[in-house]
PDB file of all heavy atoms in Angstrom:
ATOM      1  N   PRO A  10     -39.239  59.554   0.533  1.00 61.00           N
ATOM      2  CA  PRO A  10     -40.461  60.195   0.056  1.00 61.00           C
ATOM      3  C   PRO A  10     -41.162  59.386  -1.022  1.00 61.00           C
ATOM      4  O   PRO A  10     -42.343  59.526  -1.256  1.00 61.00           O
ATOM      5  CB  PRO A  10     -39.954  61.533  -0.485  1.00 61.00           C
ATOM      6  CG  PRO A  10     -38.506  61.314  -0.774  1.00 61.00           C
ATOM      7  CD  PRO A  10     -38.032  60.326   0.256  1.00 61.00           C
ATOM      8  N   ASP A  57     -68.697  48.065 -22.708  1.00 91.00           N
ATOM      9  CA  ASP A  57     -69.504  48.093 -21.488  1.00 91.00           C
ATOM     10  C   ASP A  57     -70.547  46.983 -21.513  1.00 91.00           C
ATOM     11  O   ASP A  57     -70.999  46.544 -22.574  1.00 91.00           O
ATOM     12  CB  ASP A  57     -70.203  49.444 -21.333  1.00 91.00           C
ATOM     13  CG  ASP A  57     -69.218  50.583 -21.103  1.00 91.00           C
ATOM     14  OD1 ASP A  57     -68.136  50.312 -20.560  1.00 91.00           O
ATOM     15  OD2 ASP A  57     -69.539  51.721 -21.483  1.00 91.00           O
ATOM     16  N   ASN A  66     -77.236  24.470 -28.222  1.00 46.00           N
ATOM     17  CA  ASN A  66     -78.470  23.733 -27.899  1.00 46.00           C
ATOM     18  C   ASN A  66     -79.247  24.378 -26.758  1.00 46.00           C
ATOM     19  O   ASN A  66     -79.876  23.710 -25.951  1.00 46.00           O
ATOM     20  CB  ASN A  66     -78.145  22.281 -27.538  1.00 46.00           C
ATOM     21  CG  ASN A  66     -77.442  21.559 -28.654  1.00 46.00           C
ATOM     22  OD1 ASN A  66     -77.784  21.733 -29.822  1.00 46.00           O
ATOM     23  ND2 ASN A  66     -76.439  20.744 -28.312  1.00 46.00           N
ATOM     24  N   ALA A 136     -63.103  38.378  -9.801  1.00 93.00           N
ATOM     25  CA  ALA A 136     -64.443  38.185 -10.367  1.00 93.00           C
ATOM     26  C   ALA A 136     -65.014  36.805 -10.078  1.00 93.00           C
ATOM     27  O   ALA A 136     -66.033  36.431 -10.662  1.00 93.00           O
ATOM     28  CB  ALA A 136     -64.403  38.421 -11.884  1.00 93.00           C
ATOM     29  N   LEU A 155     -67.494  35.591 -19.040  1.00 96.00           N
ATOM     30  CA  LEU A 155     -68.111  36.204 -17.865  1.00 96.00           C
ATOM     31  C   LEU A 155     -67.042  36.650 -16.862  1.00 96.00           C
ATOM     32  O   LEU A 155     -67.111  37.762 -16.313  1.00 96.00           O
ATOM     33  CB  LEU A 155     -69.081  35.223 -17.216  1.00 96.00           C
ATOM     34  CG  LEU A 155     -69.986  35.771 -16.106  1.00 96.00           C
ATOM     35  CD1 LEU A 155     -70.864  36.900 -16.625  1.00 96.00           C
ATOM     36  CD2 LEU A 155     -70.854  34.652 -15.536  1.00 96.00           C
ATOM     37  N   SER A 159     -65.920  40.723 -16.127  1.00 95.00           N
ATOM     38  CA  SER A 159     -66.305  41.182 -14.787  1.00 95.00           C
ATOM     39  C   SER A 159     -65.114  41.573 -13.931  1.00 95.00           C
ATOM     40  O   SER A 159     -65.288  41.964 -12.778  1.00 95.00           O
ATOM     41  CB  SER A 159     -67.094  40.074 -14.075  1.00 95.00           C
ATOM     42  OG  SER A 159     -68.217  39.681 -14.817  1.00 95.00           O
ATOM     43  N   ASN A 185     -46.828  53.750 -42.180  1.00 51.00           N
ATOM     44  CA  ASN A 185     -47.398  52.627 -42.917  1.00 51.00           C
ATOM     45  C   ASN A 185     -47.970  51.549 -42.014  1.00 51.00           C
ATOM     46  O   ASN A 185     -48.354  50.483 -42.472  1.00 51.00           O
ATOM     47  CB  ASN A 185     -46.336  51.993 -43.818  1.00 51.00           C
ATOM     48  CG  ASN A 185     -45.159  51.458 -43.014  1.00 51.00           C
ATOM     49  OD1 ASN A 185     -45.068  51.699 -41.818  1.00 51.00           O
ATOM     50  ND2 ASN A 185     -44.258  50.739 -43.688  1.00 51.00           N
ATOM     51  N   ASN A 199     -50.822  50.802 -25.442  1.00 69.00           N
ATOM     52  CA  ASN A 199     -51.290  49.425 -25.419  1.00 69.00           C
ATOM     53  C   ASN A 199     -51.474  48.814 -26.807  1.00 69.00           C
ATOM     54  O   ASN A 199     -51.677  47.608 -26.915  1.00 69.00           O
ATOM     55  CB  ASN A 199     -52.633  49.344 -24.672  1.00 69.00           C
ATOM     56  CG  ASN A 199     -52.511  49.791 -23.234  1.00 69.00           C
ATOM     57  OD1 ASN A 199     -51.586  49.422 -22.534  1.00 69.00           O
ATOM     58  ND2 ASN A 199     -53.444  50.623 -22.804  1.00 69.00           N
ATOM     59  N   ILE A 207     -54.815  33.012 -22.056  1.00 98.00           N
ATOM     60  CA  ILE A 207     -54.157  31.798 -21.584  1.00 98.00           C
ATOM     61  C   ILE A 207     -55.190  30.934 -20.879  1.00 98.00           C
ATOM     62  O   ILE A 207     -55.885  31.399 -19.964  1.00 98.00           O
ATOM     63  CB  ILE A 207     -52.988  32.119 -20.626  1.00 98.00           C
ATOM     64  CG1 ILE A 207     -51.882  32.870 -21.361  1.00 98.00           C
ATOM     65  CG2 ILE A 207     -52.425  30.853 -20.011  1.00 98.00           C
ATOM     66  CD1 ILE A 207     -52.008  34.365 -21.310  1.00 98.00           C
ATOM     67  N   PRO A 213     -55.923  19.443 -10.336  1.00 87.00           N
ATOM     68  CA  PRO A 213     -56.813  18.757  -9.378  1.00 87.00           C
ATOM     69  C   PRO A 213     -56.283  18.889  -7.950  1.00 87.00           C
ATOM     70  O   PRO A 213     -55.080  18.776  -7.703  1.00 87.00           O
ATOM     71  CB  PRO A 213     -56.782  17.295  -9.846  1.00 87.00           C
ATOM     72  CG  PRO A 213     -56.264  17.335 -11.248  1.00 87.00           C
ATOM     73  CD  PRO A 213     -55.355  18.514 -11.323  1.00 87.00           C
ATOM     74  N   ALA A 216     -53.404  22.632  -3.731  1.00 93.00           N
ATOM     75  CA  ALA A 216     -53.189  23.049  -2.340  1.00 93.00           C
ATOM     76  C   ALA A 216     -52.613  24.462  -2.351  1.00 93.00           C
ATOM     77  O   ALA A 216     -51.417  24.646  -2.557  1.00 93.00           O
ATOM     78  CB  ALA A 216     -52.250  22.081  -1.633  1.00 93.00           C
ATOM     79  N   HIS A 240     -52.791  30.960   7.958  1.00 91.00           N
ATOM     80  CA  HIS A 240     -51.794  30.196   8.710  1.00 91.00           C
ATOM     81  C   HIS A 240     -51.986  28.704   8.503  1.00 91.00           C
ATOM     82  O   HIS A 240     -53.103  28.188   8.550  1.00 91.00           O
ATOM     83  CB  HIS A 240     -51.909  30.509  10.206  1.00 91.00           C
ATOM     84  CG  HIS A 240     -51.061  29.624  11.062  1.00 91.00           C
ATOM     85  ND1 HIS A 240     -49.686  29.712  11.093  1.00 91.00           N
ATOM     86  CD2 HIS A 240     -51.402  28.600  11.894  1.00 91.00           C
ATOM     87  CE1 HIS A 240     -49.215  28.796  11.916  1.00 91.00           C
ATOM     88  NE2 HIS A 240     -50.227  28.105  12.423  1.00 91.00           N
ATOM     89  N   PHE A 258     -34.487  25.143  -7.894  1.00 98.00           N
ATOM     90  CA  PHE A 258     -35.303  25.401  -9.085  1.00 98.00           C
ATOM     91  C   PHE A 258     -34.913  26.729  -9.733  1.00 98.00           C
ATOM     92  O   PHE A 258     -34.745  26.810 -10.955  1.00 98.00           O
ATOM     93  CB  PHE A 258     -36.785  25.412  -8.686  1.00 98.00           C
ATOM     94  CG  PHE A 258     -37.724  25.819  -9.779  1.00 98.00           C
ATOM     95  CD1 PHE A 258     -38.169  24.905 -10.711  1.00 98.00           C
ATOM     96  CD2 PHE A 258     -38.175  27.139  -9.879  1.00 98.00           C
ATOM     97  CE1 PHE A 258     -39.043  25.278 -11.729  1.00 98.00           C
ATOM     98  CE2 PHE A 258     -39.041  27.522 -10.881  1.00 98.00           C
ATOM     99  CZ  PHE A 258     -39.481  26.584 -11.816  1.00 98.00           C
ATOM    100  N   GLY A 318     -29.400  47.885   0.981  1.00 64.00           N
ATOM    101  CA  GLY A 318     -30.281  47.425  -0.069  1.00 64.00           C
ATOM    102  C   GLY A 318     -29.988  48.123  -1.378  1.00 64.00           C
ATOM    103  O   GLY A 318     -29.333  49.161  -1.426  1.00 64.00           O
ATOM    104  N   ASP A 350     -11.967  36.508   1.304  1.00 53.00           N
ATOM    105  CA  ASP A 350     -12.282  35.128   0.943  1.00 53.00           C
ATOM    106  C   ASP A 350     -13.375  34.566   1.838  1.00 53.00           C
ATOM    107  O   ASP A 350     -14.286  33.867   1.390  1.00 53.00           O
ATOM    108  CB  ASP A 350     -11.033  34.252   1.062  1.00 53.00           C
ATOM    109  CG  ASP A 350      -9.993  34.604   0.012  1.00 53.00           C
ATOM    110  OD1 ASP A 350     -10.383  35.236  -0.982  1.00 53.00           O
ATOM    111  OD2 ASP A 350      -8.810  34.248   0.203  1.00 53.00           O
ATOM    112  N   ASP A 387     -76.694  39.942  -2.283  1.00 58.00           N
ATOM    113  CA  ASP A 387     -77.709  39.150  -2.968  1.00 58.00           C
ATOM    114  C   ASP A 387     -77.146  38.467  -4.203  1.00 58.00           C
ATOM    115  O   ASP A 387     -77.478  37.313  -4.499  1.00 58.00           O
ATOM    116  CB  ASP A 387     -78.901  40.030  -3.365  1.00 58.00           C
ATOM    117  CG  ASP A 387     -79.713  40.475  -2.158  1.00 58.00           C
ATOM    118  OD1 ASP A 387     -79.551  39.848  -1.088  1.00 58.00           O
ATOM    119  OD2 ASP A 387     -80.482  41.444  -2.280  1.00 58.00           O
ATOM    120  N   ASP A 390     -74.718  35.658  -3.052  1.00 59.00           N
ATOM    121  CA  ASP A 390     -75.463  34.503  -2.552  1.00 59.00           C
ATOM    122  C   ASP A 390     -76.075  33.713  -3.700  1.00 59.00           C
ATOM    123  O   ASP A 390     -76.075  32.474  -3.694  1.00 59.00           O
ATOM    124  CB  ASP A 390     -76.568  34.964  -1.590  1.00 59.00           C
ATOM    125  CG  ASP A 390     -75.991  35.520  -0.288  1.00 59.00           C
ATOM    126  OD1 ASP A 390     -74.811  35.256   0.003  1.00 59.00           O
ATOM    127  OD2 ASP A 390     -76.737  36.225   0.424  1.00 59.00           O
ATOM    128  N   ASP A 394     -75.481  29.406  -5.433  1.00 63.00           N
ATOM    129  CA  ASP A 394     -76.461  28.360  -5.724  1.00 63.00           C
ATOM    130  C   ASP A 394     -76.344  27.820  -7.137  1.00 63.00           C
ATOM    131  O   ASP A 394     -77.218  27.090  -7.601  1.00 63.00           O
ATOM    132  CB  ASP A 394     -77.876  28.905  -5.503  1.00 63.00           C
ATOM    133  CG  ASP A 394     -78.132  29.252  -4.047  1.00 63.00           C
ATOM    134  OD1 ASP A 394     -77.498  28.617  -3.185  1.00 63.00           O
ATOM    135  OD2 ASP A 394     -78.948  30.157  -3.781  1.00 63.00           O
TER     136      ASP A 394
END
Side-chain angles (χ1 to χ4, degrees):
D57 294 332
N66 301 320
L155 190 60
S159 303
N185 61 352
N199 299 315
I207 295 91
H240 172 71
F258 173 84
D350 292 341
D387 290 343
D390 291 343
D394 295 332

